[in-house]
Amino acid sequence: MKVIRFLVSLTIAAALAVPALAQQKPKPPGPVTYKCVDSRGKIYYSDHYTPECGQTQEMNRQGRILRKAETTKPGPAAKPVAGETGEAKETSESQRRDRALTATYTSEEEIDLARDRSLAIPLQAIKTSENRLATADKQLLDLKSQADRLAGQQKAIPPQLLEEIDVKQKAVSALEAEVRQKKTYADSVRARYEADKLRYRELKTAGK
């Protein structure tokens, strides 16, 4: 009988111990709070990280500090001196061109020969365009002569003839613009080599 009573008491004690242990089980950590001190020394709390403040402390809900981070606002970038970089770059580029010029040519005659070689293809292209322009001019003149002859005979000029005159006139204008463009390019090539020759002469004179 005493044994049975002891077992019952033991069972009741075990049943009462289970809720107690459950209550003592550690609770999961709650949300993290951040303590921030801004640049003026003002303290405030937030539930999200604020990198703009000077000092930040990460705390749990019991107020224990988990991590401390310090951030520093970037200072104003130093402004470059106006024109300094551009002038230095321009000087360096000018020196590089001078070195290339004296290393490439040994006389002004070589510069003239290089100019003529560079102009060979552009001049040929100009000649080709001028020939096409001359042909188009002749065809346009023939069409206009036909129209003038019909007009002199007091006959109606066919619409097809008028259309051909208009198309050919546009072709002549386009070829004239093409010739002008190619001649402008050839002139720029001549000017570039002439400038190189003058600079070469200056460098050679200064080196004597």
Side-chain angles (χ1 to χ4, degrees):
M1 185 67 179
K2 292 182 179 181
V3 174
I4 295 175
R5 188 179 301 171
F6 173 76
L7 292 176
V8 171
S9 300
L10 184 61
T11 302
I12 294 174
L16 293 175
V18 171
L21 292 175
Q23 292 178 356
Q24 296 176 359
K25 183 178 180 181
K27 296 181 179 180
V32 175
T33 301
Y34 295 93
K35 176 184 177 182
C36 179
V37 182
D38 63 15
S39 59
R40 295 175 297 179
K42 182 180 178 181
I43 300 175
Y44 61 91
Y45 297 86
S46 176
D47 57 353
H48 59 277
Y49 180 68
T50 54
E52 58 273 0
C53 71
Q55 296 180 349
T56 303
Q57 293 180 348
E58 181 179 329
M59 302 181 300
N60 60 16
R61 67 178 186 176
Q62 284 78 27
R64 296 182 59 186
I65 297 177
L66 302 178
R67 185 179 58 184
K68 180 177 180 181
E70 294 186 0
T71 59
T72 304
K73 292 184 179 180
K79 295 182 179 180
V81 179
E84 180 180 356
T85 302
E87 292 176 0
K89 183 177 180 181
E90 183 178 354
T91 301
S92 177
E93 181 64 20
S94 177
Q95 293 174 350
R96 186 194 65 80
R97 288 196 302 266
D98 289 345
R99 289 194 298 269
L101 191 61
T102 54
T104 303
Y105 305 109
T106 59
S107 65
E108 294 184 20
E109 288 74 16
E110 288 187 0
I111 298 178
D112 290 336
L113 291 175
R115 176 201 60 201
D116 294 340
R117 287 194 298 268
S118 297
L119 285 172
I121 295 178
L123 292 179
Q124 182 61 41
I126 291 173
K127 185 177 180 181
T128 300
S129 295
E130 287 178 337
N131 291 336
R132 292 171 57 198
L133 176 59
T135 301
D137 272 332
K138 184 178 182 303
Q139 293 173 346
L140 178 60
L141 181 61
D142 291 343
L143 293 172
K144 287 183 175 180
S145 296
Q146 294 179 35
D148 290 341
R149 186 167 55 254
L150 292 174
Q153 297 173 358
Q154 297 183 350
K155 294 182 179 180
I157 301 176
Q160 182 178 0
L161 178 57
L162 294 175
E163 182 178 356
E164 289 180 1
I165 291 175
D166 182 64
V167 171
K168 190 59 65 176
Q169 183 64 63
K170 292 179 180 178
V172 168
S173 298
L175 286 169
E176 288 175 345
E178 181 179 302
V179 170
R180 288 195 299 270
Q181 181 180 9
K182 291 180 178 180
K183 285 184 176 181
T184 299
Y185 173 74
D187 290 340
S188 69
V189 173
R190 293 189 186 94
R192 184 172 70 248
Y193 277 95
E194 185 64 24
D196 285 346
K197 187 162 65 174
L198 291 176
R199 181 57 181 165
Y200 178 86
R201 187 180 303 160
E202 292 174 356
L203 295 173
K204 288 299 182 180
T205 302
K208 290 182 180 180

PDB file of all heavy atoms in Angstrom, residues 76 139 162:
ATOM      1  N   PRO A  76      33.620  66.479 -48.040  1.00  0.00           N
ATOM      2  CA  PRO A  76      33.496  67.016 -49.395  1.00  0.00           C
ATOM      3  C   PRO A  76      34.746  66.729 -50.210  1.00  0.00           C
ATOM      4  O   PRO A  76      35.861  66.851 -49.710  1.00  0.00           O
ATOM      5  CB  PRO A  76      33.312  68.527 -49.168  1.00  0.00           C
ATOM      6  CG  PRO A  76      33.901  68.770 -47.810  1.00  0.00           C
ATOM      7  CD  PRO A  76      33.643  67.519 -47.009  1.00  0.00           C
ATOM      8  N   GLN A 139      24.010  65.415-120.180  1.00  0.00           N
ATOM      9  CA  GLN A 139      22.681  64.810-120.326  1.00  0.00           C
ATOM     10  C   GLN A 139      21.582  65.818-119.979  1.00  0.00           C
ATOM     11  O   GLN A 139      20.542  65.878-120.643  1.00  0.00           O
ATOM     12  CB  GLN A 139      22.581  63.588-119.413  1.00  0.00           C
ATOM     13  CG  GLN A 139      23.487  62.438-119.833  1.00  0.00           C
ATOM     14  CD  GLN A 139      23.502  61.305-118.820  1.00  0.00           C
ATOM     15  OE1 GLN A 139      23.043  61.471-117.692  1.00  0.00           O
ATOM     16  NE2 GLN A 139      24.059  60.168-119.220  1.00  0.00           N
ATOM     17  N   LEU A 162       9.753  66.456-118.805  1.00  0.00           N
ATOM     18  CA  LEU A 162       9.902  67.367-117.669  1.00  0.00           C
ATOM     19  C   LEU A 162      10.383  66.624-116.415  1.00  0.00           C
ATOM     20  O   LEU A 162      11.201  67.143-115.652  1.00  0.00           O
ATOM     21  CB  LEU A 162       8.571  68.059-117.392  1.00  0.00           C
ATOM     22  CG  LEU A 162       8.074  69.024-118.491  1.00  0.00           C
ATOM     23  CD1 LEU A 162       6.684  69.543-118.141  1.00  0.00           C
ATOM     24  CD2 LEU A 162       9.044  70.177-118.677  1.00  0.00           C
TER      25      LEU A 162
END
